[in-house]
Amino acid sequence: MSRALKRTMSRAHPLWLAYILHRLSGLGLVLFLPLHFWVLSLALDQAAQLDGFLALADLALFKFAEFGLVFLLALHMFGGLRLMALEWLPWSSRQKTLAAAAVAGSFLVSVSFLVQAI
Amino acid sequence: MSQPVVPSRTRADGEKLSVTLERGGPDGASYRQTFDVPAYDKQTVLDVVSWIQQNADPSVSYRFACRVGMCGSCAMMVNGVPRWTCRTHVSKVAKGGAMELAPLRNLPVIKDLVTDMDAFFDKWGAAEARHHPSQTRDDPIAAIDPDSPERQIADAAIECINCAVCYAACDTVAGDPDYLGPAALQRAWTLYNDAKEADPEAVLDAVTAKGGCHSCHSIGSCTAYCPNALDPVSAIAGLKRASAKRFFGARKR
Ligand code: SF4
Ligand code: SF4
Ligand code: FES
């Protein structure tokens, strides 16, 4: 690891990581969305090509990429909600901890339901 | 009865610290120099630099005044992290008996560990972070209820010692030389909420101009590293809210 990167990482803290994840997920979405719209546009005028593409989309690799996309979306959405709460609600740090715990708790519960459903 | 003065002693095991300083001035290239410093049982980072300057190399430049966390002059990068060195214990930051010290980030270096803090202080002025008096010395002293919510908000940041640790921690300052930075903006928020401040709108004008509170990305490194446990990121969020409210017509008074 270069020294500059090492120094940057030595300054990393949880909120900084949340910021970086928010930015990176945003960049990932920017790269993905044009592709996404292009595929949707196929549905309008080139049905045959779309079918070919959908066959491709059945591949495991694609399933994994789809998971990645949903993950990015979720990250970016939580990041945005977190920012809005941080900047718009003058909460005390105790209130912030409670809110984060509530979100994490509900996330856990919903994931456990999801896992049961699959 | 006065306590006898016990000279601080080096550790019985004769252990040494390996301390690397980033040295150099604005004209020469910076270089790194490593010193062996005797380890003491209770030792601050500032003690280490003082030992080097007094015993190993008198040409080492650094800055301090109070040694008790009041004056805000001793901040440096310690292993890449901005810290007040007079109140940072070596035992908390040394890694495997080694430590790297560098001048504070985001400020021009004058020499060795001494930075030019003019830009930092000038930005307090640019943030209009100076009191606009609402009364003269001939008026009776205004009674302020210390428990009022408004005063509590104003009080939250008055312990700032201008050490620029937050300024060095801030990645937005690193990327935007015009950004006023966490300390100046936090001071502006304090004034904005001060019942004795005559012109809170002027303060808000200054901090919503280019390089003001809206440049902050809410990364929170300022709050994470402020040695006085102050919370500039929340103060800046307060300024953002105040500016949004003003956009919709609200005025302070
Ligand atoms: S929250 Fe704002 S002021 Fe604080 S470190 Fe981040 S960008 Fe700088
Ligand atoms: S807010 Fe904290 S870190 Fe920043 S100058 Fe004031 S005391 Fe130092
Ligand atoms: S020497 Fe005064 S704050 Fe460290």
Side-chain angles (χ1 to χ4, degrees), chain B residues 45-136:
Chain B
V45 175
L46 183 63
D47 290 338
V48 166
V49 183
S50 295
W51 189 93
I52 292 174
Q53 198 270 338
Q54 286 165 15
N55 300 286
D57 186 344
S59 74
V60 169
S61 299
Y62 66 116
R63 197 191 269 135
F64 75 95
C66 72
R67 306 180 348 274
V68 289
M70 298 294 293
C71 72
S73 62
C74 66
M76 299 169 200
M77 304 303 287
V78 180
N79 288 338
V81 175
R83 294 187 187 278
W84 54 1
T85 55
C86 69
R87 296 198 63 185
T88 302
H89 276 265
V90 170
S91 56
K92 273 178 85 179
V93 291
K95 287 185 187 129
M99 202 162 60
E100 276 190 33
L101 305 179
L104 218 45
R105 183 174 170 247
N106 294 342
L107 289 164
V109 177
I110 295 175
K111 178 172 175 282
D112 298 343
L113 301 168
V114 178
T115 54
D116 179 355
M117 296 179 72
D118 276 359
F120 174 71
F121 292 122
D122 287 347
K123 285 176 179 177
W124 286 55
E128 205 55 40
R130 55 169 74 93
H131 180 56
H132 307 93
S134 49
Q135 294 184 323
T136 70

Side-chain angles (χ1 to χ4, degrees), chain B residues 170 172 179 182 216-222 233 236:
Chain B
C170 176
T172 303
Y179 177 48
C216 164
H217 290 280
S218 295
I219 313 174
S221 299
C222 46
V233 61
I236 297 168

Side-chain angles (χ1 to χ4, degrees), chain A residues 3 7 11 13 16 87, chain B residues 171 218 221 225 240-241:
Chain A
R3 208 164 71 204
R7 283 189 184 168
R11 277 194 304 277
H13 54 94
W16 185 83
E87 297 199 344
Chain B
D171 292 336
S218 295
S221 299
Y225 292 113
K240 289 176 181 171
R241 281 193 303 277

Side-chain angles (χ1 to χ4, degrees), chain B residues 183-208:
Chain B
L185 290 171
Q186 174 176 251
R187 178 67 186 163
W189 177 238
T190 298
L191 278 178
Y192 182 76
N193 290 292
D194 190 333
K196 288 177 284 185
E197 167 61 39
D199 201 356
E201 297 305 331
V203 176
L204 204 51
D205 284 341
V207 299
T208 48

